[in-house]
Amino acid sequence: MSSRAQAGASLADSQPDARGRYGEFGGRYVPETLVAALDRLQAGVDRHLGSADFQAEYARELATWVGRPTALSHAPTLSERWGAEVWLKREDLAHTGAHKINNAVGQTLLAKRLGAKRIIAETGAGQHGVASAAAAARLGMPCVVYMGAVDVERQAPNVGRMKLLGATVVPVTSGDATLRAAIDEALREWVSDPQNTYYSIGSAVGPHPYPYLVRELQSVIGREARSQMLALAGALPDVAVACVGGGSNAIGLFHPFLGDAGVHLLGIEAGGRGPGLGDNAASLTFGTPGVLQGSYTLILQDEHGQVRETHSVSAGLDYSGVGPEHAHLMRSGRVAYEAATDEESLDALSECARYEGILPAIETAHAFAGARRYASAHPGARILIGCSGRGDKDMPILQRTLLRDLC
Ligand SMILES: *Cc1c(COP(=O)(O)O)cnc(C)c1O
């Protein structure tokens, strides 16, 4: 490997400190009852995650069941239309249709090593629920998925998929009855039986060590993409672009490039209907510091510190917080973050589908919208887009938006 190829391994300033902080962000803001469970999880992560035995089993599951490495595709028509060189890292080709399975498999393997008897998980749009149910079925563990009652209604096909995969789906009616309430409920359930239960969180959020654990598991995306760029494009990208909800696919893509000073990193949040509080889910772009679900990060809150409802056309980005490492990477200036609106993202989705034969998830389409904007400001740029998932799950909403306009 050339020295350039190895440069990505020197990841200065990217490890959490002993208290699980990334700069001022992160940490553990949890009730006393959760501390022992998090300590046990931390000990398990320290002991198993880097072990040769765990890594070998994880690599085998990724290769033979998830379908890794996922392809890196050149996008010739988008390249021509945008006046850029566009490459796509194809997490949409991973089993169950998105990057979420990388994390779900890794955490389920960890749960088995920790002696847990069942997996619990939360889900918003249902993608992490489906990935968790699939991983639990594969590895022979029962799985309970907490899902906001509103989302159970909105995402009926994914509820059916989880049930077919053997999971129990529990609708959560408390709070906002969406993702935030589902995470609260899963944390409560974990506290009540931390010995036998493993809580598999779906993004790089929550109290330490979850943001670290999820990032380590998702970094396979960036490691593969980095060596595929060198092999297929003959160079690293000028910029890597990913959508940011909680931030797991983005941190997974970005992390192996942090040491490459020449690679710009750009995260795209859900700009929704616009910049007003309640009209978007862009916690980095429009949020302020505060504590949400165990972590000090940037959140969408009002002047009294009340966490506000969010809006995005994309259910998977519709969350009022973001992983603390992203807040730190924004503050440090290493990663830039912007928002793309619902309209820009749907437009980018139809362009990608029409000209590259790939129907991306609406979440993913935000990254395409951001990349297109980057290309217009940087003609000729070599752009790597994290294609986080496929859009089949979004057909109901696409029927009501893009397809309504086409017919
Ligand atoms: C869940 C999801 C996201 C958002 O989650 P992150 O943790 O920010 O990656 C993005 N894209 C797809 C396809 C998803 O399913």
Side-chain angles (χ1 to χ4, degrees), residues 98-100 127 203 243-249 316-317 361 363-364 388-389:
H99 68 289
K100 294 227 168 54
Q127 291 302 106
S203 188
C243 66
V244 179
S248 68
N249 88 88
L317 302 183
E363 291 86 355
T364 310
S388 59

Side-chain angles (χ1 to χ4, degrees), residues 146-150 152 170-178 181-182 185 188:
Y146 294 88
M147 186 169 188
V150 170
V152 170
V170 178
V172 178
T173 51
S174 57
D176 61 358
T178 64
E185 192 60 30
R188 256 196 296 278

Side-chain angles (χ1 to χ4, degrees), residues 176-251:
D176 61 358
T178 64
L179 177 60
R180 193 149 47 88
I183 296 179
D184 283 339
E185 192 60 30
L187 284 168
R188 256 196 296 278
E189 187 63 25
W190 187 34
V191 173
S192 74
D193 185 16
Q195 294 283 1
N196 295 312
T197 300
Y198 181 93
Y199 174 30
S200 176
I201 206 164
S203 188
V205 300
H208 181 67
Y210 280 118
Y212 168 77
L213 172 60
V214 175
R215 178 252 275 175
E216 289 296 295
L217 294 171
Q218 291 290 8
S219 290
V220 66
I221 302 170
R223 280 196 307 274
E224 286 177 6
R226 192 174 184 283
S227 66
Q228 289 168 318
M229 283 299 297
L230 290 171
L232 300 179
L236 293 176
D238 297 317
V239 65
V241 187
C243 66
V244 179
S248 68
N249 88 88
I251 201 70

Side-chain angles (χ1 to χ4, degrees), residues 28 38 43 50 54 61 68 78 83 103 110 227 233 243 246 252-253 289 302 311 365 402:
R28 269 186 193 176
L38 288 167
F54 178 89
E61 288 301 308
R68 303 208 72 89
L78 289 185
N103 171 49
L110 181 62
S227 66
C243 66
L253 181 69
D302 66 19
H311 163 79
L402 284 176

Side-chain angles (χ1 to χ4, degrees), residues 3-253:
S3 61
R4 188 132 192 249
Q6 283 166 346
S10 71
L11 306 170
D13 192 31
S14 68
Q15 294 307 323
D17 69 15
R19 295 179 307 151
R21 287 186 172 262
Y22 304 84
E24 66 180 292
F25 297 104
R28 269 186 193 176
Y29 293 82
V30 295
E32 197 58 38
T33 47
L34 258 184
V35 171
L38 288 167
D39 281 343
R40 204 163 31 244
L41 175 61
Q42 175 73 60
V45 169
D46 290 347
R47 170 148 177 240
H48 296 291
L49 194 62
S51 74
D53 176 55
F54 178 89
Q55 287 295 330
E57 190 174 3
Y58 185 44
R60 189 169 61 239
E61 288 301 308
L62 291 180
T64 65
W65 186 70
V66 170
R68 303 208 72 89
T70 57
L72 178 76
S73 303
H74 181 236
T77 312
L78 289 185
S79 296
E80 194 183 312
R81 289 171 63 86
W82 296 358
E85 180 185 329
V86 182
W87 295 84
L88 310 177
K89 179 56 176 164
R90 302 286 308 283
E91 295 304 293
D92 57 307
L93 296 177
H95 182 43
T96 68
H99 68 289
K100 294 227 168 54
I101 195 73
N102 305 323
N103 171 49
V105 171
Q107 287 200 61
T108 306
L109 287 172
L110 181 62
K112 289 197 88 165
R113 279 173 169 67
L114 297 181
K117 301 286 180 286
R118 63 169 192 154
I119 299 292
I120 63 170
E122 88 295 337
T123 198
Q127 291 302 106
H128 178 56
V130 168
S132 299
R138 164 78 174 175
L139 298 168
M141 291 184 74
C143 179
V144 178
V145 180
Y146 294 88
M147 186 169 188
V150 170
D151 291 330
V152 170
E153 287 283 315
R154 283 196 293 207
Q155 311 289 336
N158 271 340
V159 175
R161 288 169 81 196
M162 286 181 254
K163 288 182 175 168
L164 286 170
L165 291 162
T168 305
V169 180
V170 178
V172 178
T173 51
S174 57
D176 61 358
T178 64
L179 177 60
R180 193 149 47 88
I183 296 179
D184 283 339
E185 192 60 30
L187 284 168
R188 256 196 296 278
E189 187 63 25
W190 187 34
V191 173
S192 74
D193 185 16
Q195 294 283 1
N196 295 312
T197 300
Y198 181 93
Y199 174 30
S200 176
I201 206 164
S203 188
V205 300
H208 181 67
Y210 280 118
Y212 168 77
L213 172 60
V214 175
R215 178 252 275 175
E216 289 296 295
L217 294 171
Q218 291 290 8
S219 290
V220 66
I221 302 170
R223 280 196 307 274
E224 286 177 6
R226 192 174 184 283
S227 66
Q228 289 168 318
M229 283 299 297
L230 290 171
L232 300 179
L236 293 176
D238 297 317
V239 65
V241 187
C243 66
V244 179
S248 68
N249 88 88
I251 201 70
L253 181 69

